[in-house]
Amino acid sequence: MASSRRELVSLIKQGVIPPEQVTRAIETAGLRPSPRDWAIFVDRLLLWLGGLALAFAVLFFIAYNWVEMGRWLRFGVVQAAVLLAVGIAVWAKTRLTLQRVALTSATLLVGVLLALFGQVYQTGADPWQLFFTWALLTLLWVWVARFELLWILWLGLLNLAVGLYFRTWGGPFGALANSDAALWGLLGVNTLALIFWEWGAYSGRWGEGRWAARLLSAGSGVPITLLFMSLIAEMQPMWSSVLVIYPLWLAALYTVYRHWLPDLFMIAGGCVSVIAVVTWLLARYWLWEGEWQAGSLLLMTIVVLAMGTGAVVWLKRLHRETWQ
């Protein structure tokens, strides 16, 4: 759809399609939703809203009637809801949307069941154990569904588990796991997930849409950027592996998404990361360590505007070279 829209816009700009034929060209290309398309969209939207509403309704029902319900009744309600969702997914294996809705609801209900177990028995487990167990128990469903939204939900659970684990216990990586251990953990998980996802998309196994890969790239780029900014914020210069990993990450990002899988969003994200790091570096040396002066702030503002303008001009040139 996006490719057809770009081609049509290009033809209109070149004058190949006259203005009076634009409406007809849009209808012929199938870019304008038909009444049937709108009916299908509304049907699926209501199905998703209904499935998610029922999953959350179980949680709120248990919480509201906590005093009146015994422990076995609480567990029975949640387990019955999980079994019902899984049963619908098995029954509707030929109806892909219904199966995905049911498995997504079942995944959410497993979290409700684990939270209920921890609340009733007061196990004293750390929060990261809840999210890790949640992700572990639902991995099979996520793999069977092969659904982008469910994969992202599962990776979100894994991110929470990894982040909370390293924030609680540090890590076994020595100097690599200092106060920024949680960021290192998130960087590793999301980078591996991005590599695996792009491999699947490139080989045609899954991932036709790009939104999931872009979200994973943000999950990889934000931690490495924060790690480099954290190093800059240290009052004393020190060696850190991020000095090597960050340039390598930028080089890999440019190489992959400029030549192998062209994606302007990814390269733009790298530009934002560089601008944030340079701005943080200037703020340290011009505002923190030096005397506060309005001229320094004005100069830093000019530098940031120049970097932003340069990035926009460069990205527009890349867009013309690659996508037009």
Side-chain angles (χ1 to χ4, degrees):
M1 180 69 74
S3 177
S4 301
R5 185 181 292 108
R6 285 195 298 266
E7 293 176 0
L8 183 61
V9 170
S10 177
L11 292 175
I12 293 174
K13 288 182 177 179
Q14 295 172 9
V16 177
I17 301 177
E20 61 273 10
Q21 297 294 329
V22 171
T23 302
R24 183 178 178 182
I26 293 175
E27 294 177 353
T28 303
L31 299 179
R32 180 172 296 172
S34 64
R36 175 177 172 77
D37 294 331
W38 278 111
I40 294 174
F41 169 76
V42 172
D43 178 72
R44 293 180 178 178
L45 178 63
L46 293 177
L47 178 62
W48 274 105
L49 292 177
L52 296 177
L54 289 174
F56 286 109
V58 174
L59 170 64
F60 295 131
F61 178 79
I62 298 295
Y64 185 80
N65 298 282
W66 185 269
V67 178
E68 290 80 7
M69 298 176 66
R71 68 174 63 177
W72 296 115
L73 182 57
R74 299 169 195 157
F75 281 109
V77 171
V78 179
Q79 290 173 355
V82 173
L83 291 176
L84 178 62
V86 174
I88 292 175
V90 173
W91 170 75
K93 58 183 178 181
T94 58
R95 301 178 61 183
L96 189 59
T97 303
L98 182 58
Q99 183 187 55
R100 289 173 171 177
V101 172
L103 287 177
T104 303
S105 300
T107 301
L108 295 174
L109 289 169
V110 169
V112 175
L113 182 61
L114 292 174
L116 176 62
F117 184 85
Q119 186 67 28
V120 170
Y121 292 105
Q122 296 294 325
T123 59
D126 293 320
W128 72 268
Q129 293 176 301
L130 167 65
F131 294 105
F132 180 75
T133 306
W134 188 354
L136 188 63
L137 291 176
T138 57
L139 176 59
L140 181 60
W141 298 345
V142 176
W143 183 265
V144 170
R146 293 178 179 263
F147 180 40
E148 293 180 350
L149 179 61
L150 201 53
W151 269 115
I152 294 301
L153 174 61
W154 186 84
L155 286 170
L157 296 176
L158 194 60
N159 271 258
L160 285 171
V162 171
L164 291 172
Y165 173 81
F166 283 115
R167 190 171 296 276
T168 303
W169 299 105
F173 306 120
L176 196 64
N178 49 23
S179 58
D180 299 317
L183 291 176
W184 281 113
L186 295 179
L187 172 64
V189 168
N190 292 322
T191 302
L192 289 175
L194 178 61
I195 294 172
F196 185 72
W197 191 276
E198 292 292 24
W199 170 79
Y202 183 76
S203 60
R205 297 174 184 271
W206 60 71
E208 296 180 358
R210 294 298 302 162
W211 70 270
R214 291 169 179 173
L215 188 60
L216 289 175
S217 71
S220 174
V222 171
I224 189 63
T225 304
L226 292 178
L227 283 168
F228 203 87
M229 294 173 68
S230 176
L231 180 66
I232 294 173
E234 296 289 338
M235 298 306 297
Q236 297 295 331
M238 59 179 298
W239 164 255
S240 174
S241 53
V242 73
L243 292 172
V244 177
I245 294 177
Y246 182 65
L248 290 177
W249 180 85
L250 288 174
L253 185 76
Y254 176 80
T255 302
V256 171
Y257 295 110
R258 173 70 175 87
H259 302 289
W260 183 40
L261 294 172
D263 195 322
L264 198 64
F265 177 89
M266 305 293 195
I267 301 177
C271 293
V272 172
S273 174
V274 172
I275 292 173
V277 167
V278 174
T279 303
W280 193 253
L281 181 65
L282 295 177
R284 175 187 171 179
Y285 287 104
W286 288 358
L287 301 181
W288 299 350
E289 296 185 357
E291 295 182 1
W292 173 267
Q293 295 181 357
S296 299
L297 184 61
L298 178 61
L299 183 59
M300 192 173 73
T301 304
I302 294 174
V303 172
V304 172
L305 290 175
M307 289 190 297
T309 303
V312 170
V313 172
W314 181 59
L315 290 171
K316 289 181 68 176
R317 188 181 68 182
L318 286 181
H319 181 267
R320 287 194 300 269
E321 293 176 357
T322 307
W323 287 274
Q324 292 185 0

